[in-house]
Amino acid sequence: PSENGSGGGGERSASLAGPPVLENSVQKIDVNPPKGTRDFPPEEMRLRSWLFHNFREVSRLFGFEEVDYPVLESEALFIRKAGEEIRDQLYCFEDRGNRRVALRPELTPSLARLVIQKGKSLSLPLKWFAIGQCWRYERMTRGRRREHYQWNMDIIGVPEVTAEAELISSIVTFFKQIGISASDVGFKVNSRKVLQEILRSYSLSENLFAKVCVIIDKIEKIPIDEIKKELNSVGMPQEGVNKLLEVLSIKSLSELEEILGGAGEAIADLKQLFSLAEKFGYSEWIQFDASVVRGLAYYTGIVFEGFDRAGKLRAICGGGRYDRLLSTFGGDDLPACGFGFGDAVIIELLKEKGILPELIPQVENIVCALDHDLQGAAATVATMLREKGQSVDLVLESKPLKWVFKRAARINAQRLILVGNTEYIKGMVSVKILSSGEQSEIKIDELEYDHAVKEES
Ligand SMILES: OCc1cccc(Br)n1
């Protein structure tokens, strides 16, 4: 048994006993990950790390602080009664303490919980970002994934539309940083206050608001008659439904102003956002679209979603203002807005555009003892290099040189360092620069220099 560091010395706990032995044969376990989930072997992990590095770099550029929360939350955090898909697919269960818990389907409720928990000790505005794995339990009939990683950026404590404008700017910055331009993607921008003003004009109660938004978010996914039926079923009169559907087809702010009048908050917010977009320099990336409401019940104002202009993919990202979320958890409301950016559609987009990055393993040195009794010497050389910040792949057992060269090529090592008797007794090792084939003997305590440079000086 291998030492596993968890008291896994001589004794083997049941978990280490492996699968049950049946009639002298071991029943092979399914070595695939659970349905709808992914492994990240090195090649996939390099792409994920590259994506997350870009998320983090943009978050740093915008002065956001990283936060995180448990992947497991109280189920109550996600129980909303607006008929959201995210609720129907909640990955929830009862734990051994008989508590109703859930694997988080999104990060925003956790953020709200932490903000309430921290309360007055927080100095506003908060600019927090997180990259977290989110879950849903979807019947595998559609074969879709049950987990994905989401980058979230949130601004808490800013009532002005400058916050939404800043968030969209951060996503534009991200797209540009990975080689995506305004000709590849855009943002559809709207405000839920448009819907609010329509409901008010028909003196329809505000608690219809969230349910109506969730229904409208399905407008491109189910037949329009189904939409009308669902709107009627939540209590919207036919006249209101017709008016609402008419407004949803509006594609310009001036048209919207004609319908709603110029006095409402919806128009003011949208005009301010488009004006700020000009100043941020991303006007070509955004367009008004009254049909965009997003599918989360808690949005209350500006909403936006990133889409691919070729129209082949699902929404790339989405977000908006959610000024009333904290009070749904019993906290004092604070103005809030944020977005979620998943790790799947963006990769599909980069593949479509043929601009996936080429990521290869990198190591500076591969160190190998030329015979078995120099294994200790090789370890000493490796340690010295590592203490100087050099990465080393140390060959851990006696291997033929052919094997060593093959491994050096596979791991893309820059230098091969051979520890041989003749050189070692002189305090030297043999170094081969694998790109040029250039070979030389170097003093061990001079190894960390980039000796190509050293020889020139
Ligand atoms: O975008 C909704 C969602 C939530 C959790 C997991 C996955 Br995959 N997708």
Side-chain angles (χ1 to χ4, degrees):
S2 61
E3 287 293 327
N4 62 11
S6 56
E11 76 288 350
R12 286 166 66 89
S13 65
S15 62
L16 287 179
V21 178
L22 303 173
E23 290 120 26
N24 302 326
S25 70
V26 171
Q27 184 182 354
K28 187 178 177 194
I29 57 161
D30 177 356
V31 292
N32 294 302
K35 274 185 184 310
T37 70
R38 298 165 291 175
D39 292 315
F40 287 90
E43 187 176 353
E44 283 77 4
M45 194 63 200
R46 282 195 290 275
L47 181 57
R48 177 176 133 184
S49 299
W50 169 84
L51 186 67
F52 288 14
H53 166 75
N54 280 281
F55 288 156
R56 286 202 165 83
E57 175 55 17
V58 171
S59 305
R60 183 191 67 81
L61 286 176
F62 280 72
F64 279 57
E65 297 177 280
E66 186 162 11
V67 294
D68 196 6
Y69 326 94
V71 75
L72 183 75
E73 286 277 12
S74 161
E75 182 188 53
L77 223 50
F78 311 109
I79 299 293
R80 301 187 288 260
K81 299 197 174 23
E84 296 156 283
E85 185 182 68
I86 208 164
R87 163 78 196 277
D88 303 339
Q89 299 172 347
L90 196 58
Y91 212 131
C92 52
F93 56 95
E94 190 162 301
D95 72 10
R96 292 178 185 277
N98 302 108
R99 294 177 200 83
R100 291 296 307 169
V101 289
L103 296 181
R104 63 189 177 197
E106 54 167 332
L107 300 173
T108 309
S110 301
L111 177 144
R113 176 180 61 70
L114 183 57
V115 170
I116 297 170
Q117 178 201 128
K118 294 290 182 191
K120 304 287 181 226
S121 70
L122 294 172
S123 55
L124 302 178
L126 303 178
K127 296 180 183 178
W128 287 357
F129 85 93
I131 303 174
Q133 192 173 32
C134 297
W135 294 82
R136 67 182 173 196
Y137 190 89
E138 187 172 35
R139 297 270 165 251
M140 284 312 275
T141 43
R142 298 202 323 200
R144 291 207 301 172
R145 288 196 293 102
R146 287 184 173 155
E147 53 76 23
H148 72 173
Y149 284 83
Q150 255 194 38
W151 172 43
N152 276 217
M153 296 262 274
D154 291 87
I155 298 174
I156 311 297
V158 176
E160 287 291 303
V161 174
T162 40
E164 290 92 322
E166 173 83 334
L167 289 174
I168 294 173
S169 177
S170 72
I171 310 175
V172 168
T173 302
F174 171 79
F175 280 131
K176 288 159 76 170
Q177 192 169 277
I178 65 170
I180 294 287
S181 73
S183 54
D184 301 316
V185 307
F187 293 87
K188 294 172 184 170
V189 178
N190 187 21
S191 171
R192 283 194 171 180
K193 290 179 183 174
V194 172
L195 173 71
Q196 211 167 26
E197 288 170 29
I198 291 172
L199 293 183
R200 273 194 200 128
S201 69
Y202 283 85
S203 54
L204 293 169
S205 69
E206 300 267 322
N207 69 17
L208 267 184
F209 180 66
K211 286 180 183 167
V212 169
C213 287
V214 171
I215 294 167
I216 292 168
D217 182 59
K218 297 183 280 190
I219 202 150
E220 287 178 3
K221 299 163 196 159
I222 63 177
I224 191 64
D225 288 345
E226 186 53 38
I227 294 284
K228 290 179 179 173
K229 222 183 288 178
E230 289 193 28
L231 289 172
N232 289 145
S233 71
V234 296
M236 270 197 88
Q238 197 46 49
E239 190 197 354
V241 170
N242 295 337
K243 178 72 173 176
L244 177 57
L245 295 177
E246 178 200 340
V247 169
L248 294 182
S249 59
I250 293 174
K251 293 289 185 233
S252 79
L253 282 188
S254 46
E255 224 185 307
L256 183 71
E257 192 161 9
E258 277 167 35
I259 293 243
L260 292 185
E265 284 184 25
I267 274 292
D269 287 352
L270 286 161
K271 280 182 170 177
Q272 191 188 2
L273 184 74
F274 277 82
S275 161
L276 285 164
E278 194 72 38
K279 301 289 186 277
F280 274 103
Y282 61 72
S283 292
E284 56 177 342
W285 291 75
I286 65 170
Q287 64 198 55
F288 170 69
D289 186 329
S291 68
V292 170
V293 287
R294 298 298 294 163
L296 292 169
Y298 48 70
Y299 288 132
T300 55
I302 294 283
V303 286
F304 53 87
E305 71 185 28
F307 71 98
D308 80 296
R309 295 190 188 276
K312 292 182 184 168
L313 304 172
R314 308 185 304 284
I316 302 165
C317 57
R321 179 162 289 277
Y322 53 94
D323 286 346
R324 307 291 304 279
L325 182 59
L326 274 65
S327 56
T328 65
F329 297 139
D332 297 329
D333 270 332
L334 282 171
C337 59
F339 67 80
F341 194 123
D343 69 342
V345 180
I346 185 62
I347 297 300
E348 291 170 40
L349 179 69
L350 293 173
K351 282 177 185 162
E352 281 282 322
K353 302 289 173 196
I355 53 171
L356 267 183
E358 291 195 12
L359 305 166
I360 50 177
Q362 296 279 347
V363 72
E364 286 151 312
N365 306 278
I366 178 167
V367 173
C368 174
L370 280 182
D371 37 57
H372 189 269
D373 56 15
L374 281 169
Q375 193 59 51
T380 303
V381 170
T383 303
M384 184 276 295
L385 282 168
R386 287 164 178 163
E387 284 169 351
K388 307 238 184 234
Q390 287 257 326
S391 58
V392 176
D393 177 88
L394 175 61
V395 177
L396 298 170
E397 45 193 343
S398 299
K399 288 288 182 184
L401 262 187
K402 189 162 175 261
W403 181 96
V404 178
F405 275 94
K406 198 171 169 196
R407 179 173 175 82
R410 194 182 64 71
I411 65 174
N412 198 28
Q414 291 167 23
R415 292 194 306 187
L416 168 60
I417 295 175
L418 297 172
V419 183
N421 243 328
T422 331
E423 299 83 1
Y424 199 65
I425 49 178
K426 294 183 291 179
M428 303 181 84
V429 287
S430 159
V431 178
K432 189 181 184 71
I433 307 300
L434 292 166
S435 54
S436 64
E438 176 200 344
Q439 182 143 352
S440 51
E441 287 190 7
I442 307 282
K443 279 190 187 146
I444 289 170
D445 55 9
E446 291 184 0
L447 256 183
E448 70 279 13
Y449 297 127
D450 175 344
H451 53 270
V453 172
K454 190 170 174 315
E455 268 151 17
E456 277 156 23
S457 57

